[in-house]
Amino acid sequence: MVNFENGWGAEMEADFNPLSFYEQEQLSLIEQWKKESPGMANHVTSTVLKPVTWIAEKMIPQAAIKGALDFANLIGKLLADESDLKRDAGVRSISELKQKDLALSDRLANEVHNWGIGMAGGEGGLTGAAGAIGIAADVPAIITLALRTIHKIGLCYGYEAKTKGDQEFIFGIMSASGSNSIQEKQAALAVLRNIQIHVMNNTFDQLVKQQFGGQTTLLTTKVLANQLGINLTKRKALQVIPALGALVGASVNGWYIKEVGWAARRSYQEKWLIDNHKIHEVQDGVH
């Protein structure tokens, strides 16, 4: 649904470019994704015993996740090579994809997404075979792969993480994909929406100062680490059982990157549509 709130006014509608049939379909899917409640991690938790979950919590301390986030984001960005995307898209620079064609960007993103799911499954199977011990290596690896996936999917739509606002957008996607409830997801979507609006208006730094008393981030790594700690613990509780570790590690990691990838694709699709003056914003649609 196209929304002309926040001072734009209905009179601005004439300045918007018409949506193609394909873009209308994707707009509907963005709205649908925003309404979906996180369920996989909570479902896993309901099937495991508390002692097993307790072991997983000890193997995934928040401090380790925060450290992994700080380091993995840089590594994830470096690993998101853009040469293959430029070749496959037939462009000289990634920025050209911002105005080229949404269907083309979606095809590129789909390849990146599928590659990430396959890598996550392989990595999870190897570390999962070691049971609880493997979790210590698995967590930073899967966080790095998640951030690499987000960075590279962003490139598919023409977006490079060059500014603080770009970085916050990536952390917002990470938060939306790792939400433990619909309330957490909506909070992450609100952050993404604020970033989009204020980056467009070149007022991102002002937003940070006004709302966070001079802090340099909207979604701190501490907050995100706490959220991911709960989410990953729920997902990986069964991985501490050696007999199940490899199977659980492969399936859980693959599913996690699947969710991360869709969060990135829907978020960057919306950003692309907004920047190409197709829409203002998509309503969250939570009732």
Side-chain angles (χ1 to χ4, degrees), residues 135-207:
I135 293 178
D138 183 27
V139 169
I142 195 62
I143 289 176
T144 300
L145 182 56
L147 287 165
R148 186 263 184 194
T149 300
I150 296 172
H151 275 287
K152 189 141 189 175
I153 285 177
L155 294 177
C156 294
Y157 295 88
Y159 297 103
E160 301 173 83
K162 294 182 176 180
T163 69
K164 189 65 180 176
D166 297 333
Q167 180 56 64
E168 289 301 320
F169 195 79
I170 288 172
F171 276 173
I173 291 172
M174 194 79 166
S175 180
S177 65
S179 299
N180 301 294
S181 66
I182 191 62
Q183 289 77 20
E184 280 191 3
K185 183 175 181 178
Q186 290 306 305
L189 292 176
V191 169
L192 289 173
R193 186 169 59 252
N194 273 334
I195 293 170
Q196 289 174 353
I197 293 170
H198 287 277
V199 166
M200 282 192 302
N201 296 332
N202 296 315
T203 57
F204 179 78
D205 290 339
Q206 295 177 20
L207 170 69

Side-chain angles (χ1 to χ4, degrees), residues 42-284:
N42 291 327
H43 175 71
V44 170
T45 302
S46 66
T47 65
V48 298
L49 299 175
K50 287 185 178 180
V52 180
T53 306
W54 181 84
I55 295 174
E57 288 174 347
K58 297 302 179 183
M59 299 301 297
I60 313 177
Q62 288 184 26
I65 295 177
K66 184 178 183 301
L69 279 169
D70 292 331
F71 180 70
N73 185 56
L74 174 61
I75 299 302
K77 181 178 180 180
L78 293 175
L79 291 176
D81 179 61
E82 61 184 46
S83 58
D84 59 329
L85 296 178
K86 290 190 290 187
R87 181 193 65 240
D88 294 343
V91 297
R92 292 185 178 181
S93 67
I94 285 297
S95 61
E96 291 180 45
L97 291 169
K98 284 184 181 180
Q99 292 88 29
K100 199 168 180 65
D101 180 57
L102 184 61
L104 170 62
S105 291
D106 284 348
R107 288 196 295 271
L108 295 172
N110 190 57
E111 293 179 5
V112 172
H113 195 181
N114 288 336
W115 184 91
I117 292 172
M119 284 294 295
E123 183 275 327
L126 289 174
T127 54
I133 297 176
I135 293 178
D138 183 27
V139 169
I142 195 62
I143 289 176
T144 300
L145 182 56
L147 287 165
R148 186 263 184 194
T149 300
I150 296 172
H151 275 287
K152 189 141 189 175
I153 285 177
L155 294 177
C156 294
Y157 295 88
Y159 297 103
E160 301 173 83
K162 294 182 176 180
T163 69
K164 189 65 180 176
D166 297 333
Q167 180 56 64
E168 289 301 320
F169 195 79
I170 288 172
F171 276 173
I173 291 172
M174 194 79 166
S175 180
S177 65
S179 299
N180 301 294
S181 66
I182 191 62
Q183 289 77 20
E184 280 191 3
K185 183 175 181 178
Q186 290 306 305
L189 292 176
V191 169
L192 289 173
R193 186 169 59 252
N194 273 334
I195 293 170
Q196 289 174 353
I197 293 170
H198 287 277
V199 166
M200 282 192 302
N201 296 332
N202 296 315
T203 57
F204 179 78
D205 290 339
Q206 295 177 20
L207 170 69
V208 173
K209 291 178 181 179
Q210 290 172 1
Q211 295 192 9
F212 296 89
Q215 291 185 24
T216 58
T217 182
L218 294 180
L219 186 65
T220 66
T221 52
K222 182 178 180 180
V223 172
L224 186 54
N226 178 63
Q227 182 188 63
L228 291 180
I230 296 171
N231 190 280
L232 292 174
T233 296
K234 291 178 177 180
R235 292 172 185 270
K236 293 185 171 297
L238 286 178
Q239 192 172 321
V240 303
I241 303 175
L244 299 175
L247 177 61
V248 172
S251 59
V252 166
N253 281 15
W255 193 270
Y256 177 62
I257 295 301
K258 181 180 179 180
E259 292 179 346
V260 168
W262 278 118
R265 291 170 70 172
R266 297 308 182 202
S267 297
Y268 280 113
Q269 280 182 322
E270 181 181 12
K271 185 173 177 63
W272 189 97
L273 289 169
I274 291 171
D275 289 347
N276 281 280
H277 305 288
K278 301 280 187 172
I279 61 171
H280 174 33
E281 68 173 278
V282 181
Q283 291 185 344
D284 294 338

